[in-house]
Amino acid sequence: MQSLMQNNDTIIALATPQGVGAIGVIRLSGPESIKLTNQVFKGKNLEAQESHTIHFGTIRDSEKILDEVLISLFIAPKSFTKENVVEISCHGSNFIIRQIIQLLIRKGARPAKPGEFTKRAFMHGQFDLAQAEAVADLINADSEASHHAALNQMRGGFSGEIKRLREELIHFASMIELELDFGEEDVEFASRDDLKDLVNKLLKVVNALIHSFDLGNVIKNGVPTVIAGKPNAGKSTLLNALLKEEKAIVSDIAGTTRDFIEDEIIIGGVAFRFIDTAGLRETTDAIEKIGVERTQAKMKTASMIIYLFDLSQVDVVEMNKEINVLENTGVPFLKVGNKLDKVEEAFVEQLQKQHPDMLFLSANEPEQVELLKDRILELVNLDKFKRGDTVVTNIRHYDSLLQTKNSLDAVIEGIDNMVSNDFVAMDIRQALHYLGEITGEITTDDLLANIFSKFCIGK
Ligand SMILES: Nc1nc2c(ncn2[C@@H]2O[C@H](COP(=O)(O)OP(=O)(O)OP(=O)(O)O)[C@@H](O)[C@H]2O)c(=O)[nH]1
Ligand SMILES: [Mg+2]
């Protein structure tokens, strides 16, 4: 009852960011939004206007003019929320915005909760849950890649495919339940082979989506890229050059960096999170030792390691040891010979023969650091993403997909081992449940509250 009531009132919030801007857009949604706005608007009679029209006039509190505004009208169901929606474009002063919102609240609107506009759109079937979540991602996207992933999902993404396969599975589930009703009689409405085919097809889609999460996560949060190497190799110099900012302290004292220093930049449309670390060496300094241990741990969880060698200090035996350690991390890495300016050409040529994949540069030369960026892009395999495949970027979807996979595996196992229909039916129902969680066919109030509370107010 409570939630029904809530959906029937008219909500209001600022849709543009807080703070002073050229214009601010105040949005209302709900049955009364046009009527309430009309009460404070001087201009045309808004209640007599067509949907998708814009009207100039003033907002007045009694006879006091608050602002000159443009009113955009969207009449239900042709709006984002499928309710009557009004957007008031006013001048972007905090004072004006506050005055207008307060005036409309006095007239009967209610301040919107975080994500409430999007929640209403979802409730009215504008899109499914996965798409609603993509709206939040889209707003937060700060690189071309994350924008692309969110947009793809918002426009349907994998929802369509999952929905279709889920419906086929429902069909099988009902056939099997029908067989159960016939009990003793030996009837088979649902062919076990066909069922297995379908489940395998589903598993293929689900597995591909599960797999895409690694990439999706990276696209959303930035590719974690650790810069490592011995003390004084020039790691902090490289970080600063990449960021084009003096973020980390650079000095010729070995062991300058003790803690992680990180920041994000966008290369070729992909966000990379560069992490400068403490130089790797045996040390008796207690604090430096902690730093070294942290570096080692960080290297293992990185998506990529940029490993710096100081060319002016190369020791071949030592270098091979370091490369060995790198290979053991199992993380893709780039070997970079730094301080090119300090060594003879002949030496570099010799080293290049032994390590054809090593990149030689001076971290304090900006053009040379540009070359490194190309190599970084080559190393992360973004082909899949560029092909426009759907990637899962949301941890909630990832969890549900893993659960779905487990249930589907159990269905196959059940069929193969000829277990009784009740059990197969149960596993199918489980799989249906988890699949439904992704797109929102199956939701709980807690889940919805949790998802929409992560939105900002006005969205
Ligand atoms: N000539 C030359 N000097 C460099 C280059 N890169 C770094 N340096 C110098 O090498 C010294 C060490 O540089 P840092 O960037 O502090 O080295 P680091 O790897 O961060 O060192 P720690 O934080 O101590 O592990 C500084 O004096 C830098 O100016 C380079 O390409 N050429
Ligand atoms: Mg440093």
Side-chain angles (χ1 to χ4, degrees), residues 294-335:
R294 286 192 182 175
T295 302
Q296 286 160 338
K298 202 81 174 175
M299 281 166 75
K300 293 197 184 102
T301 57
S303 285
M304 187 190 328
I305 300 168
I306 298 174
Y307 197 89
L308 289 196
F309 296 97
D310 182 344
L311 291 174
S312 65
Q313 305 279 332
V314 168
D315 167 340
V316 177
V317 180
E318 194 48 30
M319 191 169 187
N320 286 335
K321 263 198 221 155
E322 290 174 78
I323 293 173
N324 212 345
V325 170
L326 269 176
E327 280 166 349
N328 284 338
T329 60
V331 176
F333 59 88
L334 250 178
K335 291 182 280 182

Side-chain angles (χ1 to χ4, degrees), residues 58-101:
T58 53
I59 297 279
R60 294 177 186 226
D61 186 355
S62 306
E63 278 319 298
K64 193 172 99 200
I65 295 178
L66 295 183
D67 197 9
E68 286 189 341
V69 299
L70 285 176
I71 306 275
S72 310
L73 295 179
F74 306 88
I75 298 174
K78 282 161 55 183
S79 75
F80 176 65
T81 56
K82 299 207 171 190
E83 301 174 333
N84 283 342
V85 168
V86 172
E87 286 179 7
I88 305 172
S89 305
C90 58
H91 291 95
S93 111
N94 283 330
F95 176 75
I96 292 175
I97 289 165
R98 211 166 45 231
Q99 294 282 307
I100 296 175
I101 290 179

Side-chain angles (χ1 to χ4, degrees), residues 283-300:
T283 173
T284 49
D285 181 306
I287 296 172
E288 193 184 350
K289 204 169 173 167
I290 297 171
V292 170
E293 282 164 11
R294 286 192 182 175
T295 302
Q296 286 160 338
K298 202 81 174 175
M299 281 166 75
K300 293 197 184 102

